[in-house]
Amino acid sequence: MEDIKVQQIEILETGIEYVKKLVPAVKEILPELRGEEKEDTQEYLNQIIEGINFVIEIVNATMSLINEKEEILNKDGIEEKVQLLNAGLQARDNIKTAMALEEGMLPFLDIFYQVASVIVERENA
């Protein structure tokens, strides 16, 4: 059991470093999705979506540790945010996509970052 916890801490450390890069990218693409589209906006968006999926995989792999003391993140809440993002993407509606990123994904990434940082700090103390 302890080996799993060590692996989860390592995964969280990876997630923390990844989110540090992903959040600025999400913030950078919002104006592009709201009308200042550039030549590479869609390609950049695809990379951001892959990044969000990677973080969700990290959350899924570490959910038992994240929610060890109390439920902080839950699959239903994450799924709801993902569905809003998917709706915008499938409709090719950049405004809806931007809204889903800003109102759903950024807060999710922020909560993950904060919780993961506390857990890693606590476990490495």
Side-chain angles (χ1 to χ4, degrees), residues 47-90:
Q47 291 173 351
I48 289 169
I49 299 305
E50 286 176 25
I52 290 169
N53 287 333
F54 179 64
V55 174
I56 290 170
E57 287 177 27
I58 288 172
V59 169
N60 287 335
T62 59
M63 189 74 82
S64 62
L65 185 59
I66 290 171
N67 292 334
E68 187 174 48
K69 296 190 185 331
E70 66 177 297
E71 186 175 68
I72 297 168
L73 293 173
N74 69 56
K75 289 186 185 224
D76 291 340
I78 296 167
E79 181 64 27
E80 189 177 301
K81 291 168 181 29
V82 169
Q83 291 304 323
L84 287 173
L85 182 57
N86 282 340
L89 292 169
Q90 288 177 350

Side-chain angles (χ1 to χ4, degrees), residues 1-11 61 64-65:
M1 186 68 175
E2 199 59 34
D3 287 343
I4 291 172
K5 193 170 190 176
V6 169
Q7 289 175 346
Q8 287 178 321
I9 296 298
E10 290 173 4
I11 293 167
S64 62
L65 185 59

Side-chain angles (χ1 to χ4, degrees), residues 89-107:
L89 292 169
Q90 288 177 350
R92 297 192 184 281
D93 185 329
N94 285 350
I95 301 297
K96 276 186 182 176
T97 300
M99 192 171 68
L101 286 169
E102 187 170 48
E103 295 175 11
M105 287 300 145
L106 281 176

Side-chain angles (χ1 to χ4, degrees), residues 103-119:
E103 295 175 11
M105 287 300 145
L106 281 176
F108 158 70
L109 293 170
D110 184 50
I111 290 167
F112 167 77
Y113 178 83
Q114 290 180 36
V115 170
S117 296
V118 168
I119 292 169

